[in-house]
């Protein structure tokens, strides 16, 4: 490929990435996704929670203090976003387990998501362990810049 052809291809690819990251190409790119965001009641975490919810995900915000969780949830729900929250100190195993167990407690929501995504079960933390181990191993030493989706067949695009 000529130099100008390659430059044009790169420019088109960059424009596509830029448009996708700004939300210009499609609406609700995170529809049917659930995002657990720790330390998400203020600052960077709160901004991330807001953006994920604006992009269509249902977001579970968390913090060590119930008052902060309540305030963040009220603010984001007041903006019409799909958000719930729970107290979570990530240094405590029982808090982390409760955080993960939190818009799977709603069986109706779980069944709806399985039907929408056409999957037989929701993922478990262990479902991610094998690919993480592989990516950390020498077997993956020549893999760079890839996105690996552990989503049970759920369609995924950047």
């Amino acid at each position: 490929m000529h130099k100008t052809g390659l430059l044009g291809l790169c420019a088109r690819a960059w424009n596509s990435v830029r448009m996708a990251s700004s939300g210009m190409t499609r609406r609700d790119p995170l529809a049917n996704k659930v995002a657990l965001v720790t330390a998400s009641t203020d600052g960077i975490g709160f901004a991330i929670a807001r953006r994920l919810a604006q992009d269509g995900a249902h977001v579970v915000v968390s913090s060590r203090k119930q008052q902060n969780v309540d305030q963040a949830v009220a603010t984001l729900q007041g903006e019409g976003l799909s958000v719930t929250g729970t107290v979570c100190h990530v240094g405590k195993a029982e808090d982390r387990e409760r955080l993960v167990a939190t818009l799977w407690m709603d069986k109706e929501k779980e069944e709806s998501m399985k039907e929408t995504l056409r999957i037989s079960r929701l993922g478990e933390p262990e479902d991610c362990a094998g690919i993480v181990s592989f990516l950390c191993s020498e077997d993956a030493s020549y893999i760079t810049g890839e996105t690996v989706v552990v989503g049970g067949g759920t369609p995924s695009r950047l």
Side-chain angles (χ1 to χ4, degrees), residues 16 19-31 33 51 54-56 155-158:
S16 175
M19 288 177 64
S21 68
S22 68
M24 290 170 50
T25 57
R26 58 194 162 108
R27 190 175 172 128
D28 294 335
L30 299 179
K33 305 273 188 216
R51 175 61 187 263
Q54 288 170 339
D55 286 348
S156 176
R157 299 189 334 186
L158 290 177

Side-chain angles (χ1 to χ4, degrees), residues 21-22 24 40 43 62 72 82 86 93 97 118-119 123 129 136 144 150 158:
S21 68
S22 68
M24 290 170 50
S40 55
S62 68
S82 178
T86 189
E97 289 172 15
R118 295 187 174 120
I119 56 177
C136 292
T144 59
V150 182
L158 290 177

Side-chain angles (χ1 to χ4, degrees), residues 14 23 25 46 58 61-62 65 68-69 71 82-83 118-119 123 131 151:
W14 173 248
T25 57
F46 183 78
H58 174 78
V61 298
S62 68
K65 297 181 181 175
N68 295 348
V69 170
Q71 183 178 2
S82 178
V83 180
R118 295 187 174 120
I119 56 177
I131 192 64

Side-chain angles (χ1 to χ4, degrees), residues 62-99:
S62 68
S63 181
R64 291 183 284 175
K65 297 181 181 175
Q66 186 67 53
Q67 177 183 342
N68 295 348
V69 170
D70 294 343
Q71 183 178 2
V73 167
T75 299
L76 296 173
Q77 285 180 346
E79 296 174 13
L81 300 173
S82 178
V83 180
T84 56
T86 189
V87 170
C88 180
H89 185 299
V90 295
K92 297 180 180 177
E94 61 274 10
D95 280 7
R96 291 190 310 266
E97 289 172 15
R98 186 180 59 251
L99 174 63

